[in-house]
Amino acid sequence: MQIDELRQLIARQRPGWSLEQPFYTSPEVFEIERRTWLGDQWYVLGHVSEIPDPGSFMVRELLGESLIVVRGTDGEIRGFYNVCRHRGSRICERDGKASSLVCPYHAWSYRLDGSLRSAPAMAPEIDLKALNLRSAPVAEIGGVILGSLTADPQTLADARAEAQPMLEYHGIPNARIAARRSYPTAANWKLVMENFAECYHCYPSHPEYCSVMTHVEVFARKATPEAEGRWYAEQDRWFREDADQHSPAGTSQPDYSGRGRRVISRAPIGGGRKTESRNGEPVAPLMGQQSRFDGGFGAFGMNPFVALIMPNDHAILFQFLPTAAEHTDVIISWLVDGRAADSEVDVERMVWLWDVTTVQDKGIVELNAAGVRSRAYGPGPYSLLEPGSNGLVRSYLEGLSAAH
Amino acid sequence: MQIDELRQLIARQRPGWSLEQPFYTSPEVFEIERRTWLGDQWYVLGHVSEIPDPGSFMVRELLGESLIVVRGTDGEIRGFYNVCRHRGSRICERDGKASSLVCPYHAWSYRLDGSLRSAPAMAPEIDLKALNLRSAPVAEIGGVILGSLTADPQTLADARAEAQPMLEYHGIPNARIAARRSYPTAANWKLVMENFAECYHCYPSHPEYCSVMTHVEVFARKATPEAEGRWYAEQDRWFREDADQHSPAGTSQPDYSGRGRRVISRAPIGGGRKTESRNGEPVAPLMGQQSRFDGGFGAFGMNPFVALIMPNDHAILFQFLPTAAEHTDVIISWLVDGRAADSEVDVERMVWLWDVTTVQDKGIVELNAAGVRSRAYGPGPYSLLEPGSNGLVRSYLEGLSAAH
Amino acid sequence: MQIDELRQLIARQRPGWSLEQPFYTSPEVFEIERRTWLGDQWYVLGHVSEIPDPGSFMVRELLGESLIVVRGTDGEIRGFYNVCRHRGSRICERDGKASSLVCPYHAWSYRLDGSLRSAPAMAPEIDLKALNLRSAPVAEIGGVILGSLTADPQTLADARAEAQPMLEYHGIPNARIAARRSYPTAANWKLVMENFAECYHCYPSHPEYCSVMTHVEVFARKATPEAEGRWYAEQDRWFREDADQHSPAGTSQPDYSGRGRRVISRAPIGGGRKTESRNGEPVAPLMGQQSRFDGGFGAFGMNPFVALIMPNDHAILFQFLPTAAEHTDVIISWLVDGRAADSEVDVERMVWLWDVTTVQDKGIVELNAAGVRSRAYGPGPYSLLEPGSNGLVRSYLEGLSAAH
């Protein structure tokens, strides 16, 4: 696959239809993406509670690279490639805490800011100052740690300014991780993200999700102007009468179109539910600045790979990590208030909705991946209920074109 | 591997010698084969008893494709690629029965003839009539379901006309499957088929087979004009005196040369055996139009991939399915009369001969595959007892040359 | 990867720095190496005690090839590719003893000198004399069996002449294998060999080895002229006063520089230890011509892949076998005197040092391999304590350049 061939593929794409096969299956396309557009994106790497103290570090895989994310003596969070500058060994195998990062092979040691501290028995002509760890872009927004291979950290400034109040309102910076589960999915990342970006599949695939989230009926099944009108009226009423009036974005409407890349919003779950549990009853103490259960949920999204959903008493932090042409790691962390005792958190009831839903999504996305490998596969038309998937695909194609 | 290189390889082949290494090992050669000659072949997909009713369907892998084989409301059997025309999901995961084929992802549904029945929430400008399931060639000969990716169904007409009486005589259309076993073999399909096409290896490799089948001694060990003469005389005597005179091809002689692509014949097992069991005694009730145990067996072959062996009381249906450059699935189904009760069938005694023989073949073919990967491998001469293998290789080379 | 690209890579190498990434990761570079420089090297295949009698044979993998090493009726050891000249089957699956080598597929049989003995039912025009087994270079030095794919056996003459007395002194020709363990390592062979060629990593990685081998402190940590001077003085004293004066190379000094390709030497373990056990006490009877425990150890090395370490009572025979771009098999055989009874050998105490050390090396080399795959990897400077690794890399680059 040469870049010219890729341009031809991009040019051939029919607007409103799904992608040509190679975008979903080709290792060569993935390799180009990895070097360009995917490398420029931000991904969720974790939560600040995972590296609470100076010297705390975590080791995370991103696009085939191993990164060390470490909190320095100055409290700052920094990212480094997990590669010793001597002969290339990985330095850290797992999360930990240390006053310096010491390579296990020949004991070269690095300060928490990545600078080389000591390298024994080196010839005097070697310039040790040129052998600091190579850094990788890492940043924090409201307690969420983001990382990238080649993004410009400035691209985060607007998102941070806009999202910070909502994340603080929901208590994300002071949260702790109560559960984490992995859903390794044998499918190209675009199939995973197209799935996450639409609810057209919710009725066939997600009975539990449909039973909890009121908006599904409006946006996944009926989608008539009348149904939407009733929903927006009910939502307005909720914002006026039921919603916590201290919410920083209490009057904004959520973006179900999927067209907007950045989502910072609140909406009601509906049906009288206080949270996203099976019976609607709380599963943990209220988080952040919330003073009562108003039955709403906040949402934060920045690009296809960063997603956070925040009911009153917990938060669901998604990681979508492309790892190969036909493999994507999906990891969910459930956050609760940092001061909540284990006895106050009902983990099984908390994880229920998104665990069952993500297991289902893994299944249907893998069937999708199996199908698009066929010689009989060709792009098909998105329905009126898949604007998110279509928008995601369009912005990807634009980005990929521009990346070259 | 460009096609020109492949042509050079073909031109270099020495008649009467085994193939050059890339034909047995190269993923690029396999990919070319899959797009051309292999795609044009017919393969056994199963038996009509697996989809008895309107709406019955089965899901089968063929050359890396998943096919749905479904019986329509009109009783006809049709084949479709298992790929939804919306976003490409697999539609069926396993065999079943339904009034329409519904994609599990977004509930697009198709009629049993492959036409799109419903696709919710599509924009009015989308032409839904252009979104029927893509069909694949599927056909039936005497109860055996054959499938292909690109064969012309007309190519079956002659074989069907010729084979139908023999298959009906042996009761294949009304049979049921009493056992099925798989022998996944880590070897190129040509090594599997060359093995199946000769009995030169029977003495070193198959003591059980040699103990049952009389013809082995003639065609695998001695191969002298005298031995062959005695065998043909004994065979003639069997046809005249012992064989069921109602047999449709009772006087034809079997083709052990392997040169003829189509085999429709009967021959005696020999040694007084009634069937291909260890002691020669029956393992199930008589099948089809047979009125007594005459100790013969019918054979049906059409190309290297279609093989059926029919003693008086059961039938052995082979599937040879190339799946990768160095992998072939071999599956055997044992058929018995459709009305035979389980208590009338001795499954273990029935499967004994071909199970033990195919396990042995898997072993030696995998050793063969390991050897041909070596830099020391080069084509070797076929013996006088391997005309079937040699003929198979020649007709493959001719077909592959013509395919471009 | 074309050869021109490889030449550019070689030209770009900075002296004294580790290799560019493709040398450690690229399957294409490995394939070129396999066809050229690696194919020309000698490797340890085993020990003469494994094929003691005429007709004894062993089956060994070398660079993706299966070789049969067989002792003929004349007592000579010969190597053959394990590929039948008929249709390419592997002939031998495992070690054994036979009067001829018979292919399990069609029973072609070969004499112990590789000549074809019988091939049934071949057409008379086939020249059977042209169908002997293809031979592979195999040779013995003092009981150690070496093999290669394309080496010139003459290249062994000097090494054999020089090493034979030392190996006989240590009783290697008459030894037996008391234990063998495998350490399959997911890393390019050069990372394995660079690791084996330096002791810079001994302090961080090998506490057990450091506790036993006195020279480590001199050559792995301090490396000052004073420390080295004291060590050489002590070593001289040992050679004069303590060492067995019958040793054939009793006055030679070991080569810790790693620059010399051939190592045939003796040195003291030090610390009053009689052998390389945890407490320094013997683990087996004295070997060869040694009359007492003098606490020394012999060493034999010929190229990066041939290594033998010989304390007074046992010997450690290393096999380093490159199998893929990122995989190397490391196998250690522990030898003892051929007449030693099992009850005289304490296997666990004998294997302790090199087992624990090689498990550690496998771990750090695999971390090294993971690191060099990163886009952040680039060559780093060897320290003053890694002349062996640097020398190995240089001689490899010279050899690879010359090989084309």
Side-chain angles (χ1 to χ4, degrees), chain A residues 11 18 36 39 130 148 195 234 255 302 328 346:
Chain A
S18 63
T36 59
S148 176
N195 170 269
E234 161 60 16
D255 176 8
M302 208 182 77
T328 306
D346 190 332

Side-chain angles (χ1 to χ4, degrees), chain B residues 63-86:
Chain B
L63 296 173
E65 296 291 337
S66 176
L67 302 183
I68 305 170
V69 181
V70 59
R71 191 182 289 276
T73 50
D74 55 1
E76 287 297 301
I77 295 173
R78 296 180 182 83
F80 302 105
Y81 284 88
N82 191 1
V83 179
C84 184
R85 296 298 304 276
H86 173 222

Side-chain angles (χ1 to χ4, degrees), chain B residues 100-216:
Chain B
S100 61
L101 302 171
V102 182
C103 180
Y105 202 162
H106 302 93
W108 283 35
S109 76
Y110 301 87
R111 295 183 192 89
L112 301 181
D113 64 0
S115 61
L116 181 60
R117 169 181 294 191
S118 73
M122 297 306 295
E125 67 269 21
I126 301 295
D127 178 11
L128 298 181
K129 288 188 200 64
L131 295 171
N132 298 331
L133 290 181
R134 294 187 201 277
S135 64
V138 161
E140 183 204 332
I141 294 186
V144 177
I145 298 176
L146 306 175
S148 175
L149 294 187
T150 47
D152 177 355
Q154 288 305 317
T155 60
L156 276 190
D158 288 354
R160 182 184 287 111
E162 197 175 352
Q164 194 78 18
M166 180 68 90
L167 300 187
E168 287 182 0
Y169 171 73
H170 276 282
I172 305 305
N174 304 310
R176 68 174 178 88
I177 298 172
R180 175 172 283 168
R181 297 195 182 177
S182 291
Y183 309 86
T185 302
N188 184 272
W189 64 269
K190 288 179 284 291
L191 296 176
V192 173
M193 302 315 310
E194 288 180 63
N195 170 268
F196 194 71
E198 51 93 354
C199 212
Y200 187 36
H201 70 281
C202 290
Y203 273 95
S205 301
H206 299 314
E208 295 83 359
Y209 188 78
C210 294
S211 74
V212 168
M213 304 302 289
T214 306
H215 73 84
V216 177

Side-chain angles (χ1 to χ4, degrees), chain B residues 164-323:
Chain B
Q164 194 78 18
M166 180 68 90
L167 300 187
E168 287 182 0
Y169 171 73
H170 276 282
I172 305 305
N174 304 310
R176 68 174 178 88
I177 298 172
R180 175 172 283 168
R181 297 195 182 177
S182 291
Y183 309 86
T185 302
N188 184 272
W189 64 269
K190 288 179 284 291
L191 296 176
V192 173
M193 302 315 310
E194 288 180 63
N195 170 268
F196 194 71
E198 51 93 354
C199 212
Y200 187 36
H201 70 281
C202 290
Y203 273 95
S205 301
H206 299 314
E208 295 83 359
Y209 188 78
C210 294
S211 74
V212 168
M213 304 302 289
T214 306
H215 73 84
V216 177
E217 192 172 7
V218 178
F219 293 95
R221 182 178 279 177
K222 297 186 180 148
T224 62
E226 295 72 24
E228 293 189 9
R230 279 194 302 277
W231 167 255
Y232 287 123
E234 160 60 15
Q235 192 168 319
D236 285 345
R237 193 205 55 75
W238 178 82
F239 273 116
R240 272 194 323 271
E241 300 175 16
D242 295 342
D244 180 1
Q245 298 305 315
H246 301 294
S247 152
T251 56
S252 83
Q253 290 192 352
D255 175 8
Y256 293 115
S257 75
R259 281 192 202 89
R261 295 234 199 138
R262 199 178 299 149
V263 175
I264 296 160
S265 66
R266 291 198 85 219
I269 298 168
R273 279 190 163 72
K274 299 195 183 93
T275 192
E276 296 185 3
S277 63
R278 191 192 292 255
N279 65 0
E281 290 303 304
V283 297
L286 277 174
M287 292 180 76
Q289 301 155 2
Q290 300 174 100
S291 56
R292 61 181 176 86
F293 281 89
D294 69 359
F297 67 99
F300 168 48
M302 208 182 77
N303 68 7
F305 306 102
V306 176
L308 180 64
I309 293 173
M310 298 164 282
N312 295 149
D313 55 354
H314 66 289
I316 305 109
L317 177 62
F318 294 86
Q319 290 179 269
F320 298 104
L321 301 168
T323 57

Side-chain angles (χ1 to χ4, degrees), chain A residues 262-343:
Chain A
R262 196 179 300 150
V263 175
I264 296 159
S265 66
R266 292 198 83 219
I269 298 169
R273 279 189 162 73
K274 299 194 182 93
T275 192
E276 295 185 2
S277 63
R278 190 192 293 254
N279 65 0
E281 290 304 303
V283 296
L286 277 173
M287 292 181 75
Q289 300 155 3
Q290 300 174 101
S291 55
R292 61 182 177 84
F293 280 89
D294 70 358
F297 67 97
F300 168 49
M302 208 182 77
N303 68 8
F305 306 100
V306 176
L308 180 63
I309 293 174
M310 297 165 281
N312 295 151
D313 55 355
H314 66 288
I316 304 108
L317 178 62
F318 294 85
Q319 290 179 269
F320 298 103
L321 300 168
T323 57
E326 301 204 57
H327 200 274
T328 306
D329 276 336
V330 178
I331 303 169
I332 302 179
S333 301
W334 284 265
L335 307 177
V336 297
D337 186 273
R339 295 152 307 182
D342 283 352
S343 61

Side-chain angles (χ1 to χ4, degrees), chain A residues 53-57 68-80 96-102 109-117 133:
Chain A
D53 306 312
S56 296
F57 60 88
I68 306 170
V69 181
V70 59
R71 192 181 289 276
T73 50
D74 55 1
E76 288 296 303
I77 295 173
R78 295 181 182 83
F80 302 105
K97 184 174 173 180
S99 59
S100 61
L101 302 172
V102 182
S109 77
Y110 301 88
R111 296 181 192 89
L112 301 180
D113 64 0
S115 61
L116 181 60
R117 168 181 293 189
L133 291 181

Side-chain angles (χ1 to χ4, degrees), chain A residues 65 86-88 106 120-121 134, chain C residues 198 200 374-376 384 386:
Chain A
E65 296 291 336
H86 173 220
R87 273 166 49 197
H106 302 93
R134 295 189 200 275
Chain C
E198 50 93 354
Y200 187 37
S374 167
R375 65 169 75 187
L384 298 172
E386 294 163 293

